[in-house]
């Protein structure tokens, strides 16, 4: 009971923020099409022991190994990946709030303060953070592991011992490839800190142990997946690194929109004007770590062109660190202003900043939840939700008639292949090695969509169904304009009986029957 009381007194900011985050996250409550790619890998691992998209085809069309394995474990235990991904997304989102409070307590020497409410409440009220508690992707797991690593390494640098943060970054690297980048950035932070404090270049024993632990956890996994899939990097890496040029412009736009939506330009001024005292080494370390991580990761985001999904999931892993820096800066700025003009004026000034952030965040969240469209190529969450939900009945309809020898082409490699359970390969090459590695199939710089399989290749495997050319909706035409030799357009009614008819038109091989559509001589 005594421990519980101490926990509540120290971590009540976490409890308050969690109470805000849960209903905020439920406002979004969606699963994006890309998440179903991992769901299919997880299902094949759980049911067939193969971490593949199509049984017998070893193509690494996912970039979230640890997340996929967790989902496979859930399937083994009888929990579906759709429900489990939502539960884990919110759970890891809440866990990160606890780490943020832990970081604030560490910086203040374990002294409790109302200022510790600022960082977790900022995250809980931020639409981007709440949105990606949903989505079905690994975003919040990765964010939790990276934030935990930042907290642990700050403690290790302060105490001059410990190496547990290496495990956090290793597990982050097993969750997303960028985890290795964060480990490298933290290594740079440690080198700079050692020189700044002690003029020391050579690592000490615990720092050797830190590097060794990361290598021991990450390298065996890296070697296993290289042997299993035949390539050193995921299939998606080869798709996304094959841009036809101009990706950096999309990356700059992505960062600019993030800054505009959340007033980052102004919040950076708060951080710059409220520098930590020189004798406060803990907060100096925090600011140095944040500067290294932000600058390097911003350059990385620009290099890869950002992301095509709205509300900034790609930036989210570095946001909790920024929230702590901002909270500490606001605390110091408040103290500086109070000495000059009094506590009421200082509180009013920071209140205006907070109100401006909340209004801007609410507007961004509302737009993301209601606008079914895209912002210069960045798909809004409302569109991502609509896209996935419209295709669930299509996949379910196809599943009724699937046969063992069937093969299909798809555009989005998520919902339709997952629910249909038909072997498939996608025109963007995310789950197809030939498209991913063929330099002649590069068509654009849009993140995740740089590739487009040629007509000759898409037809060369003689699929039963071609669905990367399609028409979906209540007024769907049968012939959608492109009819390759040996195929015909057909139209299926995919809506349940008694509901308004919804049609799906696609191409079927003429010499193969499928469901209500017979073979044609």
């Amino acid at each position: 009971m005594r421990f519980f009381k101490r926990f509540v007194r120290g971590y009540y900011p976490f409890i308050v923020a969690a109470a805000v985050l849960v209903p905020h996250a439920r406002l979004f409550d969606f699963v994006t099409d890309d998440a179903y790619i991992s769901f299919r890998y997880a299902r094949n691992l759980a049911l067939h022991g193969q971490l593949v998209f199509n049984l017998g085809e070893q193509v690494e069309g996912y970039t979230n190994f640890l997340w996929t394995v967790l989902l496979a474990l859930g399937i083994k235990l009888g929990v579906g990946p759709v429900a489990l991904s939502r539960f884990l997304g919110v759970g890891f989102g809440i866990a990160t709030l606890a780490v943020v409070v832990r970081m604030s307590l560490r910086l203040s020497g374990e002294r409790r303060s109302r200022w510790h409410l600022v960082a977790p409440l900022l995250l809980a009220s931020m639409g981007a953070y709440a949105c990606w508690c949903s989505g079905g992707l690994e975003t919040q797991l990765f964010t939790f592991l990276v934030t935990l690593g930042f907290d642990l390494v700050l403690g290790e640098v302060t105490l001059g011992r410990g190496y547990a943060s290496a495990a956090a970054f290793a597990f982050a690297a097993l969750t997303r490839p960028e985890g290795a980048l964060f480990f490298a950035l933290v290594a740079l932070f440690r080198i700079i800190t050692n020189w700044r404090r002690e003029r020391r270049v050579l690592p000490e024993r615990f720092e050797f142990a830190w590097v060794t632990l990361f290598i021991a956890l990450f390298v065996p996994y890296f070697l296993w997946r290289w042997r299993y899939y035949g390539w050193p990097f995921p299939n998606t890496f080869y798709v996304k690194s094959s841009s036809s040029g101009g990706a950096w412009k999309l990356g700059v736009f992505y960062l600019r929109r993030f800054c505009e939506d959340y007033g980052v330009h102004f919040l950076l001024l708060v951080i710059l004007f409220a520098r930590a005292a020189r004798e406060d080494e803990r907060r100096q370390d925090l600011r140095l770590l944040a500067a290294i991580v932000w600058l390097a990761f911003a350059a990385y985001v620009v290099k890869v062109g950002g992301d095509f999904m709205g509300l900034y999931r790609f930036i989210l892993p570095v946001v909790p660190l920024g929230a702590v820096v901002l909270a500490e800066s606001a605390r110091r700025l408040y103290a500086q202003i109070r000495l000059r003009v009094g506590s009421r004026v200082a509180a009013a000034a920071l209140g205006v900043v907070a109100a401006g952030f909340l209004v801007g965040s609410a507007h961004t969240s509302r737009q993301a939840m209601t606008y079914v469209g895209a912002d210069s190529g960045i798909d809004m969450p409302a569109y991502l939700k609509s896209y996935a939900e419209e295709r669930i009945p299509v996949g379910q309809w196809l599943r009724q008639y699937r046969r063992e020898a069937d093969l299909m082409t798809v555009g989005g490699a998520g919902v339709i292949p997952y629910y249909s359970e038909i072997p498939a390969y996608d025109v963007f090459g995310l789950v197809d090695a030939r498209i991913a590695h063929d330099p002649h199939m590069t068509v654009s710089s849009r993140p995740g969509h740089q590739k487009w399989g040629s007509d000759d290749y898409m037809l060369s495997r003689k699929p039963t169904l071609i669905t990367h050319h399609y028409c979906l909706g209540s007024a769907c035409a049968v012939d959608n304009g492109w009819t390759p030799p040996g195929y015909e357009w057909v139209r299926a009614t995919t809506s349940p009986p008694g509901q308004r008819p919804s049609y799906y038109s696609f191409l079927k091989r003429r010499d193969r029957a499928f469901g209500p559509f017979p073979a044609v001589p």
Side-chain angles (χ1 to χ4, degrees), residues 403 462-464 485-488 508-514 517-521:
R403 294 178 300 179
K462 298 181 179 179
T464 308
Y487 287 83
E488 64 174 344
K508 180 191 74 69
R509 262 176 61 174
R510 294 175 62 86
D511 62 348
R512 294 287 297 273
F514 187 86
F517 309 116
V520 178

Side-chain angles (χ1 to χ4, degrees), residues 48-59:
H48 305 286
Q50 298 183 40
L51 192 50
V52 297
F53 191 79
N54 296 323
L55 295 179
E57 295 183 17
Q58 291 174 306
V59 178

Side-chain angles (χ1 to χ4, degrees), residues 132 240 254 301 304-310 312-314 377-378 447:
W132 292 109
K240 296 177 181 181
Y254 189 77
V301 170
V304 301
D307 184 34
F308 73 93
M309 297 187 197
Y312 316 110
R313 73 181 181 103
F314 217 61
I378 301 175

Side-chain angles (χ1 to χ4, degrees), residues 194-232:
N194 289 342
W195 177 255
R196 183 168 59 90
R197 288 184 178 178
E198 307 170 30
R199 293 297 186 268
R200 175 168 60 87
V201 176
L202 295 177
E204 294 186 348
R205 181 177 298 180
F206 79 95
E207 291 166 330
F208 272 118
W210 182 72
V211 175
T212 302
L213 178 58
F214 180 86
I215 291 173
L217 292 172
F218 177 72
V219 171
Y221 155 75
F222 180 83
L223 294 176
W224 164 81
R225 42 168 301 282
W226 191 346
R227 181 182 179 187
Y228 189 77
Y229 294 110
W231 295 93

Side-chain angles (χ1 to χ4, degrees), residues 49-351:
Q50 298 183 40
L51 192 50
V52 297
F53 191 79
N54 296 323
L55 295 179
E57 295 183 17
Q58 291 174 306
V59 178
E60 190 179 9
Y62 64 95
T63 52
N64 50 12
F65 171 78
L66 188 58
W67 179 251
T68 301
V69 170
L70 285 176
L71 296 176
L73 179 61
I75 294 171
K76 276 286 190 182
L77 298 175
V79 183
V82 176
L84 182 59
S85 68
R86 285 170 159 157
F87 175 80
L88 291 178
V90 175
F92 283 114
I94 292 172
T96 302
L97 299 180
V99 176
V100 163
V101 175
R102 172 70 251 162
M103 196 180 298
S104 298
L105 284 166
R106 192 193 301 278
L107 291 168
S108 63
E110 306 301 325
R111 291 188 298 274
R112 297 187 297 273
S113 169
R114 285 176 292 181
W115 284 102
H116 297 166
L117 281 163
V118 175
L121 279 178
L122 184 150
L123 292 173
S125 61
M126 188 176 186
Y129 192 85
C131 173
W132 292 109
C133 287
S134 244
L137 294 168
E138 73 290 339
T139 308
Q140 286 294 359
L141 169 60
F142 185 61
T143 300
F144 165 73
L145 290 170
V146 169
T147 307
L148 179 62
F150 291 150
D151 176 50
L152 291 173
V153 81
L154 287 169
E156 291 161 7
V157 167
T158 298
L159 297 175
R161 65 175 186 270
Y163 45 83
S165 63
F169 288 115
F171 286 123
L174 267 63
T175 304
R176 281 201 61 84
E178 293 87 356
L181 170 62
F182 284 120
F183 178 77
L185 294 176
V186 168
L188 176 61
F189 161 73
R190 298 187 85 138
I191 292 170
I192 295 174
T193 300
N194 289 342
W195 177 255
R196 183 168 59 90
R197 288 184 178 178
E198 307 170 30
R199 293 297 186 268
R200 175 168 60 87
V201 176
L202 295 177
E204 294 186 348
R205 181 177 298 180
F206 79 95
E207 291 166 330
F208 272 118
W210 182 72
V211 175
T212 302
L213 178 58
F214 180 86
I215 291 173
L217 292 172
F218 177 72
V219 171
Y221 155 75
F222 180 83
L223 294 176
W224 164 81
R225 42 168 301 282
W226 191 346
R227 181 182 179 187
Y228 189 77
Y229 294 110
W231 295 93
F233 301 108
N235 202 59
T236 50
F237 168 82
Y238 298 100
V239 171
K240 296 177 181 181
S241 63
S242 62
S243 172
S244 59
W248 67 270
K249 295 179 182 178
L250 297 176
V252 170
F253 176 77
Y254 189 77
L255 286 178
R256 194 196 86 198
R257 293 294 293 125
F258 173 71
C259 292
E260 291 171 349
D261 280 344
Y262 291 105
V264 174
H265 306 86
F266 185 75
L267 297 178
L268 283 175
L269 292 177
V270 174
I271 293 172
L272 292 173
F273 279 118
R275 290 178 292 180
R278 289 187 177 182
E279 65 277 7
D280 191 344
E281 286 191 339
R282 293 178 180 180
R283 292 182 173 87
Q284 291 281 9
D285 290 343
L286 172 70
R287 293 171 72 89
L288 174 61
L289 175 62
I292 292 171
V293 168
W294 291 346
L295 290 173
F297 199 67
Y300 173 73
V301 170
V302 170
K303 174 65 172 62
V304 301
D307 184 34
F308 73 93
M309 297 187 197
L311 278 193
Y312 316 110
R313 73 181 181 103
F314 217 61
I315 298 174
L316 199 62
V318 302
V319 169
L321 180 64
V324 176
V325 174
L326 181 62
E328 293 298 322
S329 300
R331 178 194 61 79
R332 182 162 174 79
L333 190 61
Y334 171 81
Q336 293 171 345
I337 296 174
R338 186 180 61 180
L339 290 175
R340 291 174 171 80
V341 297
S343 58
R344 290 185 178 179
V345 175
L350 291 181

